[in-house]
Amino acid sequence: IISVLSKWVPTLNKGVLGCSSFIGRNAQGEVIHGRLLDFPLHQSFDLNERAVTYKIDNLPVIVGLGATGIPYPSISLMTDYGMTLALHQKFTDIFDPKGMPIFEYIFKLVTECRTEDEVLEFIRRHKTITTWCLNISFASGKVISADIDSHNHYIKEFVVPENGFLYF
């Protein structure tokens, strides 16, 4: 709901809210995805954060950042087949009650999709309640940065450089 507050509270100062993702390679050439969480969720997130490993029959193993009030692996996660995902909040006036809640959306995405093509198809087929950004990397070095909302998808594709980082 916070994401769509711009609709009813246009003076909300969103300049202090924001997170960053950076994606690069380690010394062995493997893809790494770092995350800075700069969102002021005081006394819930910052006091009760956990790294949680999800091992559910017939689903990929997922390691995600969890906190009070955050169901599913969602804000930052990685799977045992080499996908990483970072959720970034966008502030807009878009609200579609027929769209999928973002935590459910991400859980379905990472449990149903393994490849870049499957992720792109999933994003194009599913609506969300409001606007979000997903930064997703794959072990192959491909990266998707997608701004998604109920009606539109703005997708950019990248390849992780051999040296340096992609910064979002």
Side-chain angles (χ1 to χ4, degrees):
I1 296 298
I2 291 173
S3 294
V4 296
L5 283 179
S6 299
K7 184 173 191 135
W8 298 285
V9 188
T11 58
L12 179 69
N13 182 359
K14 298 169 287 292
V16 298
L17 307 175
C19 298
S20 300
S21 278
F22 55 94
I23 303 170
R25 295 184 187 272
N26 64 15
Q28 293 74 38
E30 301 163 323
V31 175
I32 58 170
H33 186 160
R35 176 74 189 268
L36 299 176
L37 292 168
D38 297 333
F39 193 85
L41 296 174
H42 298 292
Q43 297 181 349
S44 61
F45 174 78
D46 61 341
L47 298 179
N48 300 302
E49 71 271 16
R50 302 286 184 270
V52 180
T53 301
Y54 299 83
K55 293 182 180 179
I56 303 170
D57 290 345
N58 303 315
L59 295 178
V61 175
I62 303 168
V63 176
L65 180 67
T68 302
I70 299 176
Y72 306 108
S74 57
I75 291 178
S76 292
L77 63 88
M78 63 182 172
T79 67
D80 64 345
Y81 50 86
M83 179 192 296
T84 70
L85 184 146
L87 171 66
H88 293 271
Q89 193 165 21
K90 296 290 194 170
F91 291 89
T92 68
D93 62 355
I94 295 169
F95 181 73
D96 182 353
K98 294 181 181 178
M100 192 183 307
I102 194 62
F103 297 135
E104 178 184 359
Y105 182 98
I106 290 171
F107 187 75
K108 289 176 78 63
L109 186 148
V110 300
T111 58
E112 294 177 10
C113 305
R114 291 182 181 258
T115 68
E116 180 184 16
D117 289 339
E118 291 172 340
V119 168
L120 291 169
E121 180 60 28
F122 182 95
I123 290 170
R124 291 181 179 115
R125 278 191 333 226
H126 294 84
K127 294 181 177 184
T128 58
I129 289 176
T130 190
T131 305
W132 300 91
C133 175
L134 302 177
N135 291 317
I136 306 167
S137 74
F138 300 87
S140 67
K142 294 182 179 181
V143 174
I144 295 171
S145 184
D147 285 342
I148 57 174
D149 66 39
S150 176
H151 306 288
N152 301 296
H153 307 100
Y154 305 97
I155 300 168
K156 291 187 178 183
E157 299 178 59
F158 303 90
V159 175
V160 179
E162 294 301 319
N163 295 303
F165 290 89
L166 298 171
Y167 177 78
F168 303 93

